């Protein structure tokens, strides 16, 4: 496939992934949303279906990787690195576009939520509330719509959680080709989407399971730039964990594949 096809496929696929994944987070989080407080099960299934849609859209053009960690794992498995920069360009650009579209789709809900007296009062009582963007402090009241954050802020545990979740995802994807026809008939995408639901339900509780550097960093950049009232900080002090953790997990999965399955 050409480099242009890779960029286009990954851009459109990742944009849809983030639009639907960030969209379910917005639906569950924001006041005046019909899905308010639907809970973690809704978020996990929403992200799984987001993977399903984005990967099928991109599959014919780029293979539908949609994730720098997956791209790294595939490159380690194959030993082919020439296409990696084009995958990354499409993935990060798509993630930024998708996050912006979440804001467009929920613009009224963002405004209502962030100007609600209870939300503003709660944010002001938080040391990371709307008056600060201190990178060492947690994010503001809508950061979770765009990016992940830990329930217990322990960098070692948070990093290990992201490594473990991503290693499971990438090892699953790398071993699909060992099942005859699975990688060719499209069923692999469906099974990967179901696995993302499973990872969310089983391992998503501690950190919100980024398991994808583009999924977290691109929307976090959008959060920092959007003109949202009382939005609070973007938690840049935590931002390295959902980037480094998934890449480390992918490297481990790629190494395990080469060691154990070849």
């Amino acid at each position: 496939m050409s480099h242009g096809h890779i960029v286009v496929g990954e851009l459109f696929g990742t944009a849809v992934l983030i639009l639907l994944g960030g969209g379910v987070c917005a639906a569950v989080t924001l006041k005046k949303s019909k899905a308010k407080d639907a809970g973690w099960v809704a978020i996990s299934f929403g992200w799984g279906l987001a993977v399903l849609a984005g990967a099928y859209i991109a599959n014919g053009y780029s293979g539908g990787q949609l994730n720098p960690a997956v791209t790294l794992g595939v490159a380690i498995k194959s030993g082919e690195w020439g296409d990696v920069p084009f995958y990354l360009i499409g993935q990060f650009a798509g993630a930024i576009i998708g996050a912006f579209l979440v804001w467009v789709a929920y613009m009224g809900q963002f405004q209502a939520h962030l100007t609600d007296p209870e939300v503003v009062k709660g944010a002001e009582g938080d040391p990371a509330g709307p008056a600060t963007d201190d990178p060492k402090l947690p994010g503001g009241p809508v950061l979770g719509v765009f990016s992940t954050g830990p329930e217990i802020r322990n960098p070692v545990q948070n990093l290990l959680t992201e490594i473990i979740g991503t290693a499971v995802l990438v090892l699953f994807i790398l071993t699909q080709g060992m099942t005859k026809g699975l990688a060719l008939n499209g069923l692999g995408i469906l099974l990967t989407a179901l696995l993302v639901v499973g990872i969310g339900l089983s391992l998503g509780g501690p950190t919100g399971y980024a398991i994808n550097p583009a999924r977290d960093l691109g929307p976090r950049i959008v959060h920092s730039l959007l003109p949202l009232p009382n939005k609070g900080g973007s938690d840049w002090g935590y931002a390295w964990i959902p980037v480094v953790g998934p890449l480390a997990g992918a490297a481990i999965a790629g190494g395990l594949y080469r060691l154990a399955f070849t």
Side-chain angles (χ1 to χ4, degrees):
M1 62 189 71
S2 72
H3 291 159
H5 280 180
I6 290 173
V7 172
V8 170
E10 293 296 296
L11 187 150
F12 277 91
T14 309
V16 170
L17 165 67
I18 301 303
L19 172 60
L20 299 183
V24 72
C25 292
V28 171
T29 300
L30 299 177
K31 289 179 176 287
K32 306 298 183 181
S33 165
K34 293 181 182 295
K36 180 75 168 68
D37 296 327
W40 187 250
V41 173
I43 289 175
S44 296
F45 274 94
W47 274 105
L49 294 173
V51 169
L52 184 73
Y56 272 123
I57 287 171
N59 188 43
Y61 267 70
S62 65
Q65 295 181 11
L66 314 185
N67 182 342
V70 173
T71 298
L72 175 61
V74 170
I76 292 172
K77 173 186 176 180
S78 66
E80 298 177 3
W81 294 85
D83 292 338
V84 169
F86 301 95
Y87 276 97
L88 298 184
I89 290 169
Q91 289 160 3
F92 280 100
I96 288 170
I97 292 169
F100 176 77
L101 292 176
V102 171
W103 172 64
V104 172
Y106 281 89
M107 191 180 302
Q109 281 72 28
F110 276 111
Q111 183 70 21
H113 189 87
L114 289 171
T115 56
D116 183 275
E118 291 184 1
V119 174
V120 173
K121 182 178 179 180
E124 288 175 345
D126 187 327
T132 181
D133 193 19
D134 187 335
K136 298 180 181 179
L137 295 173
V142 296
L143 180 59
V145 173
F146 295 92
S147 56
T148 61
E151 288 298 300
I152 298 174
R153 191 165 289 256
N154 182 317
V156 174
Q157 179 199 332
N158 303 153
L159 186 66
L160 289 173
T161 299
E162 289 293 331
I163 289 172
I164 292 167
T166 310
V168 171
L169 171 67
V170 174
L171 189 61
F172 179 88
I173 291 172
L174 296 183
T175 55
Q176 281 185 30
M178 302 177 69
T179 304
K180 186 176 181 180
L182 192 60
L184 300 177
N185 62 15
L187 182 59
I189 292 175
L190 174 61
L191 296 180
T192 300
L194 291 174
L195 175 63
V196 170
V197 176
I199 293 172
L201 294 175
S202 300
L203 299 173
T207 63
Y209 81 124
I211 60 174
N212 181 339
R215 169 265 176 276
D216 194 275
L217 182 57
R220 196 182 297 270
I221 291 171
V222 172
H223 174 271
S224 72
L225 296 175
L226 282 176
L228 296 171
N230 306 314
K231 67 179 179 180
S234 299
D235 197 7
W236 290 108
Y238 179 79
W240 67 275
I241 289 176
V243 173
V244 174
L247 292 177
I252 291 169
L256 287 174
Y257 180 88
R258 292 181 67 92
L259 180 67
F261 293 97
T262 59

